[in-house]
């Protein structure tokens, strides 16, 4: 069962965590053993390719990144099922190439980008970000990507563009979770334009120096580190500039639980989960959750004068 690396029960004991070197070694072994497309297809964890040159960023956290094994096996991606291990297990038929993302709406130069266009658009950076899920767990993930602003500038947003809407893939043939009526598919998300243009907001194409695996939102996903994880829409197909606040899939599903802003706020509990503390995957004692997930110095000013209990 060499290729089934996603079967561990969580929480993960430190002793169970596979160091990255071992993960790479195992993958190289599988390649060397000549296992073909069929073997790779059942385990998207082994389909990733190494990314090119990656620049370090002063916006990275200095905290220790969560073990790669946890990052790729403990996921929320309901299009592949609602269990934490479902995405890694069920994403094997999902195709991430060829892939295009449409960027349009209120802009002068709407355009469809292929993944290779995106890779030429801006230098890839490493952004080590704290990530916090509304369910009460957190990770530190070394994303590889570039500011969303670099992409938006290419299409020349009009002054009337006040929001950005994100729409993600919804392919019934390869995403078994779409058969479940949990969300109003496709998964959609939104940001205010100033949030979208903020330097912390990135599009990620990889993590740990390799292309994203399907379970993490390949081939590209949004990452907004001061907001709850569900803002980070995976496997994006469309980015649209609008003048109205976009509807979001979680807000449609449960408006009293998920607001448009979704800023990490230890003082505003989710109706079912306290947001005051969190469990960092790989650790046992809980940590206190920080306002804006620790990014207050960067982003608190975006919300000056707003009642963040009302705009949750
Ligand atoms: N398309 C899509 N994007 C999604 C989700 C999803 O179910 N579908 N889940 C969200 C939630 S709740 C979280 S916490 C993060 C998890 O990202 P990760 O699995 O890469 O850590 O993805 C977010 N993006
Ligand atoms: Mo989440």
């Amino acid at each position: 069962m060499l290729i089934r690396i996603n079967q561990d029960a969580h929480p993960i004991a430190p002793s169970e965590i596979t160091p990255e070197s071992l993960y790479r070694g195992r993958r190289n072994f599988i390649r060397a053993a000549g296992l073909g497309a069929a073997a790779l297809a059942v385990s998207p964890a082994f389909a990733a390719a190494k990314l090119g040159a990656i620049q370090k960023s002063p916006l990275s956290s200095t905290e220790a990144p969560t073990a790669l094994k946890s990052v790729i096996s403990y996921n929320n991606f309901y299009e592949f099922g609602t269990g934490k291990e479902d995405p890694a297990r069920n994403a094997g038929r999902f195709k991430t190439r060829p892939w295009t993302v449409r960027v349009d709406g209120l802009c002068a130069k709407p355009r469809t980008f292929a993944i290779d266009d995106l890779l030429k658009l801006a230098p890839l950076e490493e952004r080590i970000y704290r990530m916090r899920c509304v369910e009460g767990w957190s990770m530190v993930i070394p994303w590889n990507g570039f500011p969303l602003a670099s992409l938006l500038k290419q299409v020349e947003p009009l002054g009337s563009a006040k929001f950005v809407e994100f729409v993600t893939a919804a392919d019934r043939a390869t995403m078994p979770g779409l058969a479940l009526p949990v969300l109003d598919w496709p998964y959609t998300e939104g940001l205010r334009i100033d949030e979208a243009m903020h330097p912390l907001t990135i599009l990620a194409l990889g993590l740990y120096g390799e292309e994203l695996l399907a379970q993490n939102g390949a081939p590209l996903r949004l990452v907004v580190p001061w907001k709850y994880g569900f803002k980070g829409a995976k496997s994006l197909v469309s980015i649209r500039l609008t003048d109205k606040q976009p509807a979001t899939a979680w807000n449609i599903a449960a408006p009293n639980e998920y607001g448009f802003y979704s800023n990490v706020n230890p003082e505003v509990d989710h109706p079912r989960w306290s947001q005051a503390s969190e469990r960092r995957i790989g650790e046992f004692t809980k940590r206190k959750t920080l306002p804006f997930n620790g990014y207050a110095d960067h982003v608190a000013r975006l919300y000056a004068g707003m009642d963040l209990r009302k705009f949750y």
Side-chain angles (χ1 to χ4, degrees):
M1 298 306 283
L2 253 176
I3 56 177
R4 301 298 293 274
I5 59 160
N6 56 351
Q7 301 298 302
D8 310 67
H10 285 264
I12 297 170
S15 59
E16 293 175 62
I17 290 169
T18 308
E20 198 194 350
S21 55
L22 182 52
Y23 162 86
R24 286 183 199 283
R26 270 202 279 177
R27 210 179 55 180
N28 291 340
F29 166 73
I30 292 202
R31 277 185 185 147
L35 297 178
L40 291 171
V42 300
S43 181
F46 293 100
K50 205 154 172 53
L51 290 166
I54 300 168
Q55 302 182 354
K56 302 263 182 228
S57 168
L59 293 169
S60 280
S61 163
T62 54
E63 290 181 82
T66 301
L68 174 65
K69 185 184 180 186
S70 300
V71 177
I72 64 172
S73 64
Y74 188 81
N75 301 104
N76 274 340
F77 199 164
Y78 280 16
E79 288 87 330
F80 294 110
T82 54
K84 290 287 176 281
E85 298 179 1
D86 287 345
R89 195 159 35 214
N90 296 338
R93 287 187 301 137
F94 185 57
K95 288 198 173 49
T96 58
R97 292 291 191 290
W99 189 280
T100 58
V101 58
R102 176 75 186 159
V103 188
D104 62 12
L106 299 172
C107 61
K109 294 187 174 162
R111 201 175 135 188
T112 301
F113 294 84
I115 294 302
D116 291 340
D117 302 332
L118 294 176
L119 285 165
K120 278 179 226 145
L121 198 138
L124 276 185
E125 294 177 40
E126 178 188 61
R127 294 287 183 96
I128 305 173
Y129 281 165
R130 286 181 292 278
M131 306 300 298
R132 167 71 155 79
C133 176
V134 75
E135 294 164 347
W137 49 269
S138 64
M139 297 193 193
V140 177
I141 302 184
W143 299 109
N144 305 123
F146 53 81
L148 173 62
S150 303
L151 176 69
L152 293 178
K153 281 173 192 157
Q154 295 282 317
V155 301
E156 299 177 13
L158 302 178
S160 52
K162 303 293 180 215
F163 295 92
V164 185
E165 178 197 55
F166 302 87
V167 183
T168 74
D171 177 31
R172 286 228 159 214
T174 57
M175 298 176 125
L178 295 176
L180 309 170
V182 236
L183 292 172
D184 190 2
W185 313 112
Y187 190 105
T188 51
E189 257 306 340
L191 292 173
R192 221 169 53 189
I193 191 85
D194 57 339
E195 299 176 322
M197 299 298 280
H198 192 280
L200 282 174
T201 302
I202 60 166
L203 287 175
L205 292 105
L207 60 85
Y208 267 114
E210 301 201 353
E211 284 179 12
L212 288 181
L213 299 173
Q215 57 264 44
N216 293 106
L220 85 158
R221 57 91 58 82
L222 180 65
V223 178
V224 194
W226 72 94
K227 293 177 183 272
Y228 292 114
F230 64 86
K231 272 280 155 188
K234 294 177 169 180
S235 305
L236 296 169
V237 295
S238 157
I239 299 175
R240 173 165 290 174
L241 292 143
T242 73
D243 53 1
K244 288 176 201 67
Q245 182 176 303
T248 69
W250 279 108
N251 184 250
I252 294 168
N256 60 320
E257 300 192 2
Y258 308 101
F260 178 78
Y261 282 92
S262 318
N263 290 322
V264 174
N265 190 343
E267 286 170 20
V268 176
D269 284 339
H270 179 280
R272 287 180 286 141
W273 304 291
S274 164
Q275 300 301 328
S277 65
E278 66 201 55
R279 190 175 66 81
R280 180 73 48 86
I281 298 296
E283 295 180 352
F284 296 94
T285 39
K286 283 201 170 182
R287 292 167 174 256
K288 277 180 82 168
T289 291
L290 300 170
F292 299 105
N293 205 27
Y295 296 96
D297 288 352
H298 294 273
V299 300
R301 62 177 174 80
L302 299 183
Y303 311 100
M306 286 176 69
D307 177 353
L308 297 181
R309 289 185 175 274
K310 186 166 169 226
F311 298 101
Y312 58 92

